[in-house]
Amino acid sequence: MVEKLKGYLKKYFSNGPKAMYIYLTLIVLIVCVVLISSARKTITVSIDGKDKKIMTLSSTYRSALSNNGITVGPKDKTTVSLDNKVENDSKISIKRAVNVQVAVDGKKLDIKSAEDNIEKMLQAEKITIHQSDKIYPKKDSTVKEGLMIVVTRVETKDIKEVKPLDYNTVVKKDEDIEQGNNKVVQEGKAGEKETLTRVVYENGKEISRKVISETVKKQPVQKIIAMGALNVYTPSRGTRIPYTTAMRMRATGYTSDYESTGKSPGDPYFGITATGTVAKRSVGSYSSVAVDPRVIPLGTKLYIEGYGYAIAEDTGGAIKGDRVDLFFDSNSEANNWGVRWVNVYLVK
């Protein structure tokens, strides 16, 4: 094209200096037009999904956009670097940053962001998120104008504590101790247990506490108390008589004579009890009495109201069940006793 123009100009402007000047001027203009035409580029600018075509002579996208009145904010995102060289028929997309608010660590941050979702926005803003933290809305939620994001810091602590382990108190009956009296046989000692408790905090405030494990480090020693189970009978004269069992029995009196035993003096068994002892009446000591061995075993020591201490040494054909026959030295004493209902205590 330029060669054709040169030929045309030579044909009509070949005479004189003035013609040559015009000729050169036109050549320069033509070259400029050609250069400008070749330097001009058409690009598509997409802003938030809306396309617009612009023509530019600028070498970079930054100047091309600026010369066309298109501003790019510091938080806006572009698909092509603004400092890249402009290519004809290329496309650059701009995503405008939107205003969002982030509540985190006791602060409310006003942020502009063009990131796709909350997770990328927090990363871009260098807001550290730990795995246990809670984010609302969810991390994959789209960032949009006016969005309010809440980051809740979640912290878990495991606390070890050594606590006392209470001991048990065991009470055992002891028939060697009078009723109403107790004796500490073994002092109790507290044990120790290690407790592992998991505490969860949200933004520094405790929201839950749960015992994860308990380990006994030292076993407790139980306290043992002997509780008096021994019965004590106290006659009117003040003697304290320990006993195991009390019975209400019909008491009669007997002697060694024939009327009571069917034996007379001279009989080798005269005055001899069923256990082979000599029947006796010992005031202040143990006297002989006859019992039913099925009720009171022979050899058992007794205390009988109104009679005193006795020992079951004898039996009798008529002494059955809840009966006891008391030995006296004379018939007059036996007759004076007569028949009575008395309390009989099995002495311990």
PDB file of all heavy atoms in Angstrom, residues 185-203:
ATOM      1  N   VAL A 185     -11.623 -50.306 115.822  1.00  0.00           N
ATOM      2  CA  VAL A 185     -10.639 -51.370 115.665  1.00  0.00           C
ATOM      3  C   VAL A 185      -9.547 -50.945 114.673  1.00  0.00           C
ATOM      4  O   VAL A 185      -8.371 -51.268 114.850  1.00  0.00           O
ATOM      5  CB  VAL A 185     -11.318 -52.668 115.182  1.00  0.00           C
ATOM      6  CG1 VAL A 185     -10.293 -53.769 114.967  1.00  0.00           C
ATOM      7  CG2 VAL A 185     -12.375 -53.106 116.174  1.00  0.00           C
ATOM      8  N   GLN A 186      -9.958 -50.203 113.650  1.00  0.00           N
ATOM      9  CA  GLN A 186      -8.999 -49.762 112.629  1.00  0.00           C
ATOM     10  C   GLN A 186      -9.412 -48.379 112.143  1.00  0.00           C
ATOM     11  O   GLN A 186     -10.558 -48.171 111.747  1.00  0.00           O
ATOM     12  CB  GLN A 186      -8.986 -50.754 111.458  1.00  0.00           C
ATOM     13  CG  GLN A 186      -8.067 -50.364 110.287  1.00  0.00           C
ATOM     14  CD  GLN A 186      -8.027 -51.429 109.226  1.00  0.00           C
ATOM     15  OE1 GLN A 186      -7.369 -52.443 109.363  1.00  0.00           O
ATOM     16  NE2 GLN A 186      -8.751 -51.211 108.142  1.00  0.00           N
ATOM     17  N   GLU A 187      -8.479 -47.442 112.171  1.00  0.00           N
ATOM     18  CA  GLU A 187      -8.756 -46.097 111.686  1.00  0.00           C
ATOM     19  C   GLU A 187      -8.787 -46.102 110.153  1.00  0.00           C
ATOM     20  O   GLU A 187      -8.006 -46.799 109.506  1.00  0.00           O
ATOM     21  CB  GLU A 187      -7.692 -45.114 112.160  1.00  0.00           C
ATOM     22  CG  GLU A 187      -7.742 -44.816 113.653  1.00  0.00           C
ATOM     23  CD  GLU A 187      -8.961 -43.984 114.041  1.00  0.00           C
ATOM     24  OE1 GLU A 187      -9.680 -43.518 113.138  1.00  0.00           O
ATOM     25  OE2 GLU A 187      -9.187 -43.801 115.250  1.00  0.00           O
ATOM     26  N   GLY A 188      -9.693 -45.321 109.595  1.00  0.00           N
ATOM     27  CA  GLY A 188      -9.777 -45.219 108.141  1.00  0.00           C
ATOM     28  C   GLY A 188      -8.763 -44.228 107.586  1.00  0.00           C
ATOM     29  O   GLY A 188      -8.388 -43.269 108.264  1.00  0.00           O
ATOM     30  N   LYS A 189      -8.331 -44.496 106.374  1.00  0.00           N
ATOM     31  CA  LYS A 189      -7.402 -43.587 105.694  1.00  0.00           C
ATOM     32  C   LYS A 189      -7.909 -43.348 104.270  1.00  0.00           C
ATOM     33  O   LYS A 189      -8.264 -44.291 103.572  1.00  0.00           O
ATOM     34  CB  LYS A 189      -5.992 -44.184 105.639  1.00  0.00           C
ATOM     35  CG  LYS A 189      -5.315 -44.301 106.994  1.00  0.00           C
ATOM     36  CD  LYS A 189      -3.901 -44.858 106.841  1.00  0.00           C
ATOM     37  CE  LYS A 189      -3.208 -45.004 108.201  1.00  0.00           C
ATOM     38  NZ  LYS A 189      -1.850 -45.583 108.049  1.00  0.00           N
ATOM     39  N   ALA A 190      -7.944 -42.071 103.898  1.00  0.00           N
ATOM     40  CA  ALA A 190      -8.394 -41.723 102.547  1.00  0.00           C
ATOM     41  C   ALA A 190      -7.369 -42.189 101.514  1.00  0.00           C
ATOM     42  O   ALA A 190      -6.160 -42.163 101.758  1.00  0.00           O
ATOM     43  CB  ALA A 190      -8.614 -40.225 102.428  1.00  0.00           C
ATOM     44  N   GLY A 191      -7.875 -42.600 100.364  1.00  0.00           N
ATOM     45  CA  GLY A 191      -7.000 -42.964  99.256  1.00  0.00           C
ATOM     46  C   GLY A 191      -6.810 -41.768  98.332  1.00  0.00           C
ATOM     47  O   GLY A 191      -7.176 -40.638  98.663  1.00  0.00           O
ATOM     48  N   GLU A 192      -6.266 -42.027  97.173  1.00  0.00           N
ATOM     49  CA  GLU A 192      -6.048 -40.974  96.188  1.00  0.00           C
ATOM     50  C   GLU A 192      -6.451 -41.472  94.807  1.00  0.00           C
ATOM     51  O   GLU A 192      -6.188 -42.612  94.450  1.00  0.00           O
ATOM     52  CB  GLU A 192      -4.576 -40.545  96.142  1.00  0.00           C
ATOM     53  CG  GLU A 192      -4.123 -39.748  97.353  1.00  0.00           C
ATOM     54  CD  GLU A 192      -2.677 -39.299  97.221  1.00  0.00           C
ATOM     55  OE1 GLU A 192      -2.015 -39.695  96.238  1.00  0.00           O
ATOM     56  OE2 GLU A 192      -2.205 -38.557  98.102  1.00  0.00           O
ATOM     57  N   LYS A 193      -7.106 -40.585  94.062  1.00  0.00           N
ATOM     58  CA  LYS A 193      -7.425 -40.917  92.677  1.00  0.00           C
ATOM     59  C   LYS A 193      -7.059 -39.735  91.788  1.00  0.00           C
ATOM     60  O   LYS A 193      -7.192 -38.578  92.176  1.00  0.00           O
ATOM     61  CB  LYS A 193      -8.901 -41.274  92.504  1.00  0.00           C
ATOM     62  CG  LYS A 193      -9.875 -40.134  92.761  1.00  0.00           C
ATOM     63  CD  LYS A 193     -11.300 -40.587  92.506  1.00  0.00           C
ATOM     64  CE  LYS A 193     -12.280 -39.454  92.821  1.00  0.00           C
ATOM     65  NZ  LYS A 193     -13.689 -39.872  92.594  1.00  0.00           N
ATOM     66  N   GLU A 194      -6.564 -40.064  90.598  1.00  0.00           N
ATOM     67  CA  GLU A 194      -6.202 -39.041  89.631  1.00  0.00           C
ATOM     68  C   GLU A 194      -7.336 -38.917  88.624  1.00  0.00           C
ATOM     69  O   GLU A 194      -7.728 -39.898  87.998  1.00  0.00           O
ATOM     70  CB  GLU A 194      -4.900 -39.401  88.923  1.00  0.00           C
ATOM     71  CG  GLU A 194      -4.411 -38.324  87.957  1.00  0.00           C
ATOM     72  CD  GLU A 194      -3.117 -38.731  87.272  1.00  0.00           C
ATOM     73  OE1 GLU A 194      -3.206 -39.463  86.258  1.00  0.00           O
ATOM     74  OE2 GLU A 194      -2.038 -38.355  87.766  1.00  0.00           O
ATOM     75  N   THR A 195      -7.852 -37.717  88.499  1.00  0.00           N
ATOM     76  CA  THR A 195      -8.967 -37.462  87.591  1.00  0.00           C
ATOM     77  C   THR A 195      -8.492 -36.633  86.409  1.00  0.00           C
ATOM     78  O   THR A 195      -7.828 -35.614  86.579  1.00  0.00           O
ATOM     79  CB  THR A 195     -10.090 -36.708  88.325  1.00  0.00           C
ATOM     80  OG1 THR A 195     -10.521 -37.474  89.455  1.00  0.00           O
ATOM     81  CG2 THR A 195     -11.289 -36.496  87.414  1.00  0.00           C
ATOM     82  N   LEU A 196      -8.817 -37.104  85.194  1.00  0.00           N
ATOM     83  CA  LEU A 196      -8.507 -36.362  83.977  1.00  0.00           C
ATOM     84  C   LEU A 196      -9.802 -35.768  83.447  1.00  0.00           C
ATOM     85  O   LEU A 196     -10.728 -36.487  83.083  1.00  0.00           O
ATOM     86  CB  LEU A 196      -7.875 -37.281  82.928  1.00  0.00           C
ATOM     87  CG  LEU A 196      -7.466 -36.611  81.597  1.00  0.00           C
ATOM     88  CD1 LEU A 196      -6.386 -35.560  81.842  1.00  0.00           C
ATOM     89  CD2 LEU A 196      -6.980 -37.654  80.604  1.00  0.00           C
ATOM     90  N   THR A 197      -9.860 -34.431  83.447  1.00  0.00           N
ATOM     91  CA  THR A 197     -11.074 -33.728  83.036  1.00  0.00           C
ATOM     92  C   THR A 197     -10.797 -32.927  81.770  1.00  0.00           C
ATOM     93  O   THR A 197      -9.793 -32.215  81.685  1.00  0.00           O
ATOM     94  CB  THR A 197     -11.552 -32.773  84.149  1.00  0.00           C
ATOM     95  OG1 THR A 197     -11.744 -33.525  85.358  1.00  0.00           O
ATOM     96  CG2 THR A 197     -12.859 -32.120  83.766  1.00  0.00           C
ATOM     97  N   ARG A 198     -11.683 -33.068  80.803  1.00  0.00           N
ATOM     98  CA  ARG A 198     -11.552 -32.314  79.542  1.00  0.00           C
ATOM     99  C   ARG A 198     -12.489 -31.103  79.602  1.00  0.00           C
ATOM    100  O   ARG A 198     -13.705 -31.239  79.749  1.00  0.00           O
ATOM    101  CB  ARG A 198     -11.885 -33.193  78.351  1.00  0.00           C
ATOM    102  CG  ARG A 198     -11.728 -32.504  76.994  1.00  0.00           C
ATOM    103  CD  ARG A 198     -11.565 -33.531  75.900  1.00  0.00           C
ATOM    104  NE  ARG A 198     -10.303 -34.264  76.058  1.00  0.00           N
ATOM    105  CZ  ARG A 198     -10.039 -35.403  75.426  1.00  0.00           C
ATOM    106  NH1 ARG A 198     -10.921 -35.930  74.597  1.00  0.00           N
ATOM    107  NH2 ARG A 198      -8.878 -36.016  75.617  1.00  0.00           N
ATOM    108  N   VAL A 199     -11.871 -29.907  79.494  1.00  0.00           N
ATOM    109  CA  VAL A 199     -12.624 -28.660  79.561  1.00  0.00           C
ATOM    110  C   VAL A 199     -12.583 -27.990  78.192  1.00  0.00           C
ATOM    111  O   VAL A 199     -11.518 -27.864  77.582  1.00  0.00           O
ATOM    112  CB  VAL A 199     -12.041 -27.705  80.627  1.00  0.00           C
ATOM    113  CG1 VAL A 199     -12.908 -26.462  80.767  1.00  0.00           C
ATOM    114  CG2 VAL A 199     -11.929 -28.414  81.974  1.00  0.00           C
ATOM    115  N   VAL A 200     -13.756 -27.574  77.705  1.00  0.00           N
ATOM    116  CA  VAL A 200     -13.855 -26.912  76.404  1.00  0.00           C
ATOM    117  C   VAL A 200     -14.208 -25.440  76.622  1.00  0.00           C
ATOM    118  O   VAL A 200     -15.138 -25.124  77.367  1.00  0.00           O
ATOM    119  CB  VAL A 200     -14.910 -27.596  75.509  1.00  0.00           C
ATOM    120  CG1 VAL A 200     -15.024 -26.881  74.164  1.00  0.00           C
ATOM    121  CG2 VAL A 200     -14.554 -29.065  75.284  1.00  0.00           C
ATOM    122  N   TYR A 201     -13.431 -24.573  75.966  1.00  0.00           N
ATOM    123  CA  TYR A 201     -13.663 -23.129  76.056  1.00  0.00           C
ATOM    124  C   TYR A 201     -14.026 -22.600  74.670  1.00  0.00           C
ATOM    125  O   TYR A 201     -13.485 -23.040  73.660  1.00  0.00           O
ATOM    126  CB  TYR A 201     -12.402 -22.396  76.529  1.00  0.00           C
ATOM    127  CG  TYR A 201     -11.884 -22.845  77.871  1.00  0.00           C
ATOM    128  CD1 TYR A 201     -10.992 -23.914  77.957  1.00  0.00           C
ATOM    129  CD2 TYR A 201     -12.265 -22.198  79.041  1.00  0.00           C
ATOM    130  CE1 TYR A 201     -10.491 -24.323  79.192  1.00  0.00           C
ATOM    131  CE2 TYR A 201     -11.770 -22.599  80.274  1.00  0.00           C
ATOM    132  CZ  TYR A 201     -10.889 -23.664  80.341  1.00  0.00           C
ATOM    133  OH  TYR A 201     -10.403 -24.067  81.560  1.00  0.00           O
ATOM    134  N   GLU A 202     -14.965 -21.647  74.627  1.00  0.00           N
ATOM    135  CA  GLU A 202     -15.274 -20.934  73.399  1.00  0.00           C
ATOM    136  C   GLU A 202     -15.043 -19.453  73.658  1.00  0.00           C
ATOM    137  O   GLU A 202     -15.663 -18.873  74.553  1.00  0.00           O
ATOM    138  CB  GLU A 202     -16.716 -21.191  72.944  1.00  0.00           C
ATOM    139  CG  GLU A 202     -16.918 -22.599  72.387  1.00  0.00           C
ATOM    140  CD  GLU A 202     -18.274 -22.796  71.735  1.00  0.00           C
ATOM    141  OE1 GLU A 202     -19.086 -21.827  71.735  1.00  0.00           O
ATOM    142  OE2 GLU A 202     -18.540 -23.901  71.231  1.00  0.00           O
ATOM    143  N   ASN A 203     -14.127 -18.889  72.890  1.00  0.00           N
ATOM    144  CA  ASN A 203     -13.721 -17.496  73.081  1.00  0.00           C
ATOM    145  C   ASN A 203     -13.333 -17.219  74.524  1.00  0.00           C
ATOM    146  O   ASN A 203     -13.657 -16.184  75.105  1.00  0.00           O
ATOM    147  CB  ASN A 203     -14.830 -16.537  72.631  1.00  0.00           C
ATOM    148  CG  ASN A 203     -15.031 -16.554  71.126  1.00  0.00           C
ATOM    149  OD1 ASN A 203     -14.112 -16.882  70.370  1.00  0.00           O
ATOM    150  ND2 ASN A 203     -16.220 -16.222  70.672  1.00  0.00           N
TER     151      ASN A 203
END
